[in-house]
Each structure stands twice: as C-alpha cells, then as structure tokens.
Amino acid sequence: MSKKAKLDEIIRCCENRFNRGSAAEWRHSDFSDLSRAIFRDTDVNISPSTLKRIFGKVSVDDDYIPQQATVDALKNYGQYVEPETVQQVEASSTKPVATSGLNNSKRSRLLFTALLLITAIVAFLLFRYWKPKDISGTINITRTEGLLPATVVFDLQLPETEDSLFVNFGDKSPWQYIKPGEKNVAHIYYTPGVFTASLLTRQQTFAKTSAYIKSNNWIAFGCHRQDDIPVHFYALPVIKTGSDSLFDVTNNQLFKLGLDTTGPVLTRLSNYTPINQSADDFIFETTFKNHIQEKGIFCRSTQFQISGSNSVIRFRWVNAGCSQRLLNIVSEQIFKGATNDLSQFVLDLSQWTTVKLVNHNKRVTLYVNGKQIFTGSYQQSLGDIKGLFLEFEGTGVVKTCDLKSYDGKLLYHF
C-alpha cells in the first residue's frame, strides 16, 4: 500500500471516531475540536490549519504527506490497525565449490588482514575528524516581571538538530518557533498557575522548566475554551453574591462582559498565592453546584485541581452520559473515561455537592457527599503546594472552598 493510500485509510478511521460525518462538510470549529481531541488522546498538537490540509479542506499538492509524527498521532487517535502482510522468502541453495585446504587458509588470512586494515583506517578517520552532535538542550527562567499578567524570560541553549525547534509555554498558547542561534525568548502569562515550558521539536522534547505564576488572592475569569485562556478571557469580581454562596457566576454576567453565552463557556475560581506546605499532606473541601440549562442535550462538568511544584491532583465530575470525557490525574497516574469505568464521577450537578479530598503521605481518599468514591496512592511527590482552582464547564455557584494542612492549619479559604 502506498503512503498516500495508507494516509487516506487513516483519515477515514479518524472521521469514523470523530463521528461528525464527512470531513468535507466540517467547519473550522470542527477542526478545532478535532485538534483538541487528538491532543487530549496523544499529547501531540496538530493545528486546525494542518488538519484542514490533511483532510482535503484546503488544496495541497497531490503528493502531500504530513510529518511522520503527525501521521502517527492520527493513527493513534483513529485507532488505525496496520493490515497483515505475509512475506515469503524464497530459499536458495548454492553448491559448495571444492577448494584445497591450503587455498582456503591463504584466502582466510588475506581476508582477515584486509578487514583489519579497513577497521584501522575507519577508526583513525573517526577519531581524527568525526565530532558527535550535541543533542542536549536547556531552557531556564532568567527573569519574571509583574504579577498578573507576568512576563517570563527564558534562556535557551539549543541542541544541534536539523528539525525545527519550538517552545511550548504550557498554557495552551501556540508553540513559538525558535530561529537557529536564538538565545532567549519571552512570554506573557495572563492567568495564575504552574506551567511546564518545554524546548522541543515535533518529535522530541529536549528540556523542560517550570514557571510559577502567582496571584495575591482569589482570581476568577471566564472564557470560551481553554485554548482561549492565554489571550481571550474575561476577569470576574470575586465577591459574595448571596446568603448561601460566596461566588455566583451567571450567563447574564458573562454576556455583559462580552462573552457569547450561546456557545460553550468555562468559568474558573483560583488562588495561587505562595504558601509553605507539602502537597503530599493536605485536606481539601468544597461545596458547589452548576447552573444547568433546562432544555437541550449537553455535557456539563466541574473539576478541581491542587497544583504542586512537581505534579498535580485533578478530579472532574460530569452529568449522566458524559463520562467518556473524564480525565482525572493523581500525580503520575492518569484515569481516562474512554478506557476506565469512571461512572462514580457522574453526578446531578444541578444539586449542591460537597467534595472532600484527604491526602496523607501520598495516599489519596476522595469523598462525595460523605461517601468514599476513590482511594489510591502515588509514587511521584507533588512537591510544595503552589495553588488550586475550581472550574465549571458553563457557570456555577461556590458555597465553600477550603484547603488545610493535614494537621488542620487553614491555607486557603473562600
């Protein structure tokens, strides 16, 4: 099978899994959603414009074939299976030629001497002229300016590679192309959090560093998609809005800020004020509910994340029928709704829900409305606590949100 025919088969597998009909009928939003779905499953970022070329939405040369890493990501997402092939090898036999023992011995000595001479010449040339490529690379933070927004300057040591180099800043903003010889790059972070910045090509990551963007209190904002957060988001007042809640965001408030609330929106409440506390021993508790639209077919979710300097704990809940979208993280462990039974994370999000997470010596126990739904341990330390967020798909209400040390010291209170 030719590479072009194989690519066509892979595209058909992706169309089948994406389940939105023929790609010829897709719009830009469909390609954006497919880009996010591929990244979620494979950790490979394929831009919507690249997907349009691959799926024939944009004209390209007849022999156009994308990079191998892109093809591999599409194969993984579309669950493409290589066709079985049977290779037949024809055996051949040769009739030995009779030679005298003396001739064989001379021929062997000559062959051994020639091989020894060639080996010596190759070794000398390698020692004299060959210089191995420096495939190492580094990325380090040299300066941070401001609180929110914050400009972070990264110092770069580029590896020797013929592939294009990029920096992924870890905040879902587009990767930045690095020209040969560049020694530093700057980036603006608009939201608080712990972000992993990486120096990489499309196929390989060379170096990583962690950027901690602080807040001086609780911060709230809304946006259309997570991809929009680096640039297009809208700050919200973090104030008490009623007798039974501390934080209440409505579609009307978002509309007044400028968000089109007829489409999907995200609202987040976060606090990344620096504290001195291990993330492997804490108690987190929050009470919340989502604003659920009365009519229509939809998925809604609420998730929280405790960010450590090394890793995170994140749990997400969805309404019935949407558990395939779940992605929960406990340090090095990842639980996907597509491959795991996560039905215990399906809730009636329109009702008040109290979630309690107890983490003691890297053993995590999670309760929902007083009922234990998860317990497990992890190996990789989370490091020190850097902050937390509570996020709604749509809008919601927060009654309480507290993080304490395991011995009861109040760290964050809302």
Side-chain angles (χ1 to χ4, degrees):
M1 182 184 295
S2 68
K3 290 185 177 181
K4 185 63 177 176
K6 183 177 178 181
L7 179 61
D8 292 340
E9 289 294 328
I10 295 170
I11 289 172
R12 278 193 285 272
C13 291
C14 292
E15 286 180 334
N16 292 337
R17 184 177 177 192
F18 196 49
N19 197 25
R20 295 193 186 179
S22 170
E25 306 298 327
W26 292 355
R27 299 182 177 181
H28 179 78
S29 59
D30 296 307
F31 288 100
S32 297
D33 292 341
L34 177 59
S35 174
R36 286 188 290 274
I38 293 172
F39 181 79
R40 184 170 57 246
D41 277 15
T42 67
D43 291 329
V44 176
N45 184 19
I46 307 177
S47 69
S49 59
T50 299
L51 290 173
K52 288 180 181 179
R53 290 195 295 271
I54 294 172
F55 282 77
K57 198 69 174 180
V58 176
S59 297
V60 295
D61 294 336
D62 291 339
D63 58 350
Y64 169 73
I65 298 293
Q67 295 185 17
Q68 187 59 45
T70 301
V71 175
D72 291 342
L74 292 172
K75 287 169 60 178
N76 291 338
Y77 173 78
Q79 299 174 349
Y80 172 78
V81 178
E82 296 278 0
E84 294 184 1
T85 58
V86 179
Q87 297 182 347
Q88 297 181 344
V89 180
E90 295 183 356
S92 61
S93 59
T94 58
K95 186 176 181 179
V97 180
T99 58
S100 67
L102 181 60
N103 289 337
N104 284 337
S105 177
K106 288 182 178 179
R107 187 178 293 107
S108 298
R109 286 198 300 271
L110 289 173
L111 180 61
F112 176 76
T113 303
L115 288 175
L116 189 63
L117 181 60
I118 293 171
T119 302
I121 293 173
V122 170
F124 171 77
L125 292 175
L126 286 175
F127 178 79
R128 181 68 177 83
Y129 297 105
W130 182 72
K131 180 181 178 182
K133 285 187 176 181
D134 182 8
I135 61 172
S136 63
T138 61
I139 178 170
N140 296 297
I141 295 175
T142 57
R143 180 168 58 88
T144 300
E145 170 198 307
L147 186 64
L148 279 176
T151 292
V152 179
V153 180
F154 298 90
D155 178 75
L156 305 176
Q157 179 179 326
L158 304 184
E160 292 185 18
T161 176
E162 296 179 358
D163 294 331
S164 297
L165 285 166
F166 304 86
V167 171
N168 177 1
F169 297 104
D171 60 350
K172 297 188 180 297
S173 60
W175 294 7
Q176 182 163 333
Y177 171 68
I178 303 299
K179 298 178 181 178
E182 279 196 278
K183 297 184 181 299
N184 54 66
V185 63
H187 182 67
I188 299 178
Y189 290 93
Y190 291 91
T191 58
V194 181
F195 304 99
T196 299
S198 306
L199 176 64
L200 72 173
T201 64
R202 296 289 185 186
Q203 293 81 26
Q204 181 180 3
T205 298
F206 292 98
K208 298 180 180 181
T209 191
S210 182
Y212 178 32
I213 308 303
K214 307 170 186 176
S215 68
N216 58 2
N217 211 321
W218 291 92
I219 301 292
F221 62 87
C223 64
H224 287 120
R225 296 183 180 89
Q226 285 192 348
D227 308 51
D228 300 330
I229 292 176
V231 180
H232 303 292
F233 72 94
Y234 301 80
L236 302 170
V238 184
I239 58 175
K240 184 173 181 177
T241 57
S243 59
D244 67 345
S245 66
L246 291 174
F247 181 63
D248 185 2
V249 182
T250 65
N251 275 349
N252 187 47
Q253 286 176 287
L254 296 177
F255 181 76
K256 289 181 179 179
L257 288 170
L259 271 80
D260 178 9
T261 55
T262 59
V265 295
L266 294 172
T267 51
R268 178 182 291 186
L269 177 67
S270 60
N271 193 335
Y272 280 80
T273 303
I275 58 174
N276 184 20
Q277 170 66 35
S278 169
D280 297 322
D281 279 284
F282 66 83
I283 299 174
F284 172 76
E285 189 166 4
T286 183
T287 300
F288 63 87
K289 66 178 179 179
N290 285 52
H291 289 306
I292 302 296
Q293 60 196 61
E294 296 181 358
K295 298 179 180 180
I297 299 173
F298 55 85
C299 287
R300 288 290 183 268
S301 69
T302 299
Q303 66 177 348
F304 73 84
Q305 176 172 302
I306 311 298
S307 301
S309 54
N310 299 330
S311 192
V312 304
I313 292 178
R314 185 169 75 214
F315 286 105
R316 185 181 188 185
W317 288 264
V318 294
N319 58 286
C322 301
S323 63
Q324 186 272 342
R325 304 175 65 205
L326 287 168
L327 176 64
N328 294 336
I329 301 174
V330 181
S331 190
E332 75 277 0
Q333 301 182 58
I334 298 178
F335 305 92
K336 296 182 179 181
T339 55
N340 301 99
D341 180 6
L342 300 181
S343 55
Q344 69 270 36
F345 291 91
V346 174
L347 294 175
D348 181 358
L349 297 173
S350 66
Q351 303 299 314
W352 284 112
T353 299
T354 297
V355 171
K356 183 177 182 180
L357 176 68
V358 179
N359 184 12
H360 183 47
N361 291 332
K362 301 181 185 177
R363 182 159 191 85
V364 173
T365 307
L366 183 64
Y367 303 88
V368 174
N369 296 326
K371 179 182 177 181
Q372 179 180 314
I373 67 166
F374 176 87
T375 186
S377 58
Y378 58 92
Q379 300 298 319
Q380 179 184 331
S381 173
L382 301 178
D384 294 330
I385 290 177
K386 295 298 183 181
L388 61 86
F389 68 72
L390 180 65
E391 183 179 87
F392 298 98
E393 187 176 14
T395 56
V397 187
V398 182
K399 183 182 291 186
T400 60
C401 186
D402 292 332
L403 182 68
K404 302 177 181 179
S405 63
Y406 189 77
D407 59 8
K409 179 184 176 182
L410 189 62
L411 304 173
Y412 296 119
H413 170 68
F414 189 78

